Structures are given as structure tokens and as C-alpha cells.
Amino acid sequence: MKKILFLTGTRADFGKIKSLIQILEKHPEFEPLVFVTGMHLQKEYGYTLIEVERCGFSNIHTFENHTHETTMDLTLAKTIEGLSSYVKVSNPDMIVIHGDRVEALAGAIVGSLNNILVAHIEGGEVSGTIDELIRHSTSKMSHIHFVSNSLAKKRLVQMGELKESVFVIGSPDVDIMFSSNLPTLEEAKHYYEIAFEEYAVAMFHPVTTEVKYMQEYATNFVNALLQDNHNYVVVFPNNDLGSKFILNEYKRLENNSRFRIFPSLRFEYFLTLLKKSQFIIGNSSAGIREAPYYGLPIINIGTRQQNRALHADIINTDYSEQEIVEALKIIDNHQVKVANSDFGKGNSADLFLKSLLNQDIWALNHQKQFRDI
């Protein structure tokens, strides 16, 4: 039996790997281990460890990596320390990480330096800000790549990764997006006490490379929402540098009947609420990845998703209050088509399992190689 260690630090990456853990839980040849850290253990962000525990996984280990300084370098260092101690006890055969967070980079570093196979989910993609550097660095520290599409595979090969180490499985969250097991809108509204008949979703994250402007950006965003007349389901930002400016501005929305504000939402409930919303506004990847496949109008603000926002019919604005307000004036008449998914067909977990059952993947050289084009 092979031990597969999954690392999760946020509600977002957990939504991406949840179906992968679940399918291994049911298979006799694998023992999944779940290392939970990051935002999951922070009460101000909803203490989403509860969402992981609700899944009933057999092996969950928690580690507090939050530092009072909240700088990403110290979070990286602390995560490496905690994960390193855990792998020496648990002895996993593979570490599975996702995306472009510092927790993923920590997983890649610990795995590669301890001669453990590292599998990276959704490498080879482009975005903006510091995420871009972290994602590609993580890919270079990983041995195996489970990517969303052929374009991502092409980029990894361009980076010198071996073709035989890259597996196209789609985006695992699509497995859940189009699942027949999502709650109904009535169930989601009842669970979160949302009384709005119609509403939009607002998600605005800090941009770490522009942190000196984040107070201004957050003020403009909230000012624009207050001038608008739509109802909003507002979800807290991630905990990157600059989040405190957004959270402070959100206090101005707290006693306004047009707003329901949540530190976090359960992933399946979030998907239902997103799918049935009027539109999504902010700079979350949900507006670039999930929303187009539900046919939702999207207002994307600023630079955080600038390289991802090319394939969908999206209203892009800068960070100015005026541009955001103008976008909100036209959003109700903005017609969009449901995008064709280039992130898989909802069978990522099956393809992931099939790859792990192939002995070739376990024969890959732990000594990373560079393939010249």
C-alpha cells in the first residue's frame, strides 16, 4: 500500500484536491494522508479545518503555520519545518500539492529534498503577481505534473519538464462543479441565512506585488459596491499580505442590508451560490475558472488575473472607483455565452487514480532531469 500525502492550506486548494483524496480513500492500494495548515486553522477566516474534517478522511494532521508578521517568507519557512517533521514520521511515497501558494512550494521543497516523489496539480498555468513565480518554482521542484489542459503541458515541456512526467487530467474542481450532489439553491440560502431573492458574489483578494496600494484599492472597491444597488454575498479574501486592508474596509458593509459577509463558504455551497448568482465581481480565480462555465457575467478588477482572463467574455476594469461603478451600471445587460470547458470533463479523479495505478509513474527518476527542446 502506497501512502499519498496531500497538503492543503486554503479553502480554494482543498476544493481542487478533495475529489482526488476521496477516490484514493476508497481504493485498497492507497492510504491518503491529509496535512492541513494555513488559513484552515485561522478563526478569522472561518476555521475551515471543519470542512476537511466533515469529509471523514482517515488520516488528518494539522499544523499551525501562521505567523504574527504574516509575511509569506516566514510562512514558507514555518510550513517547511512542520511538514518536514511530519514526513519523517509518516514516510509518504508521494506528496501531492496544488497551485501557487507558499504551502505548495513548501511541499515541493520538503519532498524533493527528502527524496520523495512530488506531484503538482495545475502547474503550467499563468496568472499574475507573485503567484506566477511560486507556481513555476513549485513545478521545477516537482517530479510529476497533473495539469488541466494541453496548453499547460506545453508550457511545462517548454520549462524543460519531461513529457512522460506530465499527465493531463483536467481541473479537479470541475468534478465537483458539475456534480449531481451539489446542494440546491434553497438549501444553500437556508444554511447561510441568505434572504436575497437575487444577488451577486463579491470576492476581492490582496495583490502582494502591489501591497502599498491595497488600502486604496480596497477603499475604491467598497465605495463602488456601496454606490451600487445589487445585493451581495461577500466572501473574505485569502490571508496574503494586504488582506487586513480589505477586511477593514468590509466593516463598512456589516450593517448594510444589501450585504451578507462570510469568512468562508463550504465549497459545494459556494458553487451553488455562484452558479445561481447574477454575476461575480472582484479578482478571484473563481471569476476566471468557474464562472465562465456557469455562463455568468464577470467583472474582473485589476491585475491579479491578467494573464488568465483572455479566454472568457469578461468585463475588465482597473482599480479606480469610477471604472468599477461604470462596469456595475452595465452588468445587468451584459450578455455572455457558457464557455466551453478547457479544464476537463469532470473525470479528473478517475484519470488521477489511473495514473497512480500505472507503475511507470513510480519508476520516474527521483533525480530531476532537464529536457532540452
Side-chain angles (χ1 to χ4, degrees):
M1 181 180 290
K2 292 191 181 298
K3 293 182 179 179
I4 313 295
L5 171 59
F6 292 84
L7 190 153
T8 177
T10 72
R11 64 199 180 207
D13 69 46
F14 182 64
K16 300 281 188 177
I17 64 174
K18 181 177 178 179
S19 65
L20 309 183
I21 304 170
Q22 288 173 327
I23 201 167
L24 295 193
E25 278 273 333
K26 300 173 184 176
H27 201 282
E29 292 187 29
F30 299 102
E31 180 184 359
L33 315 172
V34 188
F35 185 89
V36 183
T37 187
M39 288 177 65
H40 286 302
L41 302 178
Q42 292 183 255
K43 287 184 171 61
E44 60 267 43
Y45 290 96
Y47 197 67
T48 50
L49 166 64
I50 295 170
E51 304 305 326
V52 182
E53 292 177 333
R54 275 198 178 107
C55 295
F57 298 135
S58 303
N59 300 288
I60 297 175
H61 179 82
T62 60
F63 175 75
E64 175 69 62
N65 73 348
H66 179 66
T67 61
H68 291 297
E69 293 84 357
T70 66
T71 58
M72 296 169 76
D73 53 350
L74 291 176
T75 300
L76 173 64
K78 193 168 182 180
T79 309
I80 290 172
E81 182 179 12
L83 184 61
S84 178
S85 297
Y86 181 64
V87 299
K88 288 174 174 61
V89 174
S90 58
N91 296 311
D93 298 285
M94 176 185 288
I95 297 176
V96 178
I97 52 179
H98 170 271
D100 53 19
R101 303 280 300 175
V102 292
E103 288 89 357
L105 181 57
I109 291 171
V110 169
S112 58
L113 296 184
N114 285 280
N115 200 35
I116 302 167
L117 282 175
V118 178
H120 188 203
I121 309 291
E122 292 191 347
E125 299 189 15
V126 292
S127 52
T129 75
I130 194 67
D131 298 350
E132 183 94 347
L133 297 177
I134 295 176
R135 186 184 299 267
H136 299 322
S137 299
T138 301
S139 289
K140 292 309 298 180
M141 297 290 289
S142 301
H143 308 91
I144 302 160
H145 311 276
F146 292 104
V147 300
S148 295
N149 50 44
S150 57
L151 181 57
K153 178 174 182 176
K154 181 180 178 181
R155 290 197 189 101
L156 287 175
V157 172
Q158 181 182 338
M159 290 167 59
E161 297 301 291
L162 305 179
K163 285 183 180 180
E164 54 268 32
S165 72
V166 186
F167 301 84
V168 180
I169 66 168
S171 183
D173 63 329
V174 176
D175 293 12
I176 303 174
M177 278 182 66
F178 298 106
S179 166
S180 59
N181 297 322
L182 291 182
T184 65
L185 179 60
E186 291 70 26
E187 288 170 336
K189 282 185 173 181
H190 177 74
Y191 188 86
Y192 286 108
E193 300 179 352
I194 297 170
F196 308 138
E197 183 66 30
E198 294 185 318
Y199 61 91
V201 172
M203 300 178 72
F204 193 68
H205 296 292
V207 182
T208 53
T209 51
E210 301 171 27
V211 66
K212 64 181 179 181
Y213 304 113
M214 281 313 302
Q215 176 64 71
E216 177 188 349
Y217 294 170
T219 300
N220 291 346
F221 181 59
V222 170
N223 284 347
L225 294 183
L226 287 170
Q227 290 181 54
D228 187 41
N229 57 10
H230 293 92
N231 300 315
Y232 286 95
V233 171
V234 182
V235 184
F236 271 21
N238 62 35
N239 63 344
D240 285 344
L241 187 64
S243 62
K244 65 179 181 180
F245 300 120
I246 300 171
L247 295 178
N248 285 337
E249 288 297 314
Y250 280 176
K251 291 177 181 178
R252 294 199 282 142
L253 306 175
E254 287 178 354
N255 296 315
N256 190 310
S257 61
R258 290 195 299 109
F259 297 89
R260 288 285 285 130
I261 307 169
F262 301 96
S264 183
L265 296 172
R266 295 176 64 179
F267 188 59
E268 287 86 351
Y269 285 70
F270 166 72
L271 289 175
T272 293
L273 290 168
L274 177 67
K275 184 177 183 179
K276 300 297 184 179
S277 68
Q278 294 173 286
F279 61 90
I280 181 171
I281 182 171
N283 61 2
S284 169
S285 61
I288 309 303
R289 293 294 290 266
E290 284 87 358
Y293 307 112
Y294 285 151
L296 288 178
I298 301 151
I299 299 175
N300 178 59
I301 301 170
T303 59
R304 188 170 184 264
Q305 304 293 342
Q306 62 186 5
N307 294 322
R308 283 181 167 176
L310 302 176
H311 71 287
D313 183 13
I314 294 171
I315 298 175
N316 291 293
T317 78
D318 62 22
Y319 294 105
S320 70
E321 181 180 328
Q322 180 181 353
E323 276 214 15
I324 301 171
V325 168
E326 290 302 314
L328 285 168
K329 288 179 180 177
I330 64 172
I331 192 65
D332 288 338
N333 297 317
H334 184 61
Q335 300 297 315
V336 297
K337 296 179 180 179
V338 176
N340 292 320
S341 177
D342 54 356
F343 296 105
K345 300 177 181 179
N347 62 340
S348 296
D350 291 327
L351 294 174
F352 175 72
L353 175 60
K354 182 179 179 181
S355 299
L356 292 190
L357 288 171
N358 188 330
Q359 291 307 307
D360 290 347
I361 205 169
W362 301 101
L364 285 171
N365 195 340
H366 287 221
Q367 179 64 49
K368 277 292 294 275
Q369 303 166 65
F370 191 94
R371 177 67 56 81
D372 290 315
I373 296 177

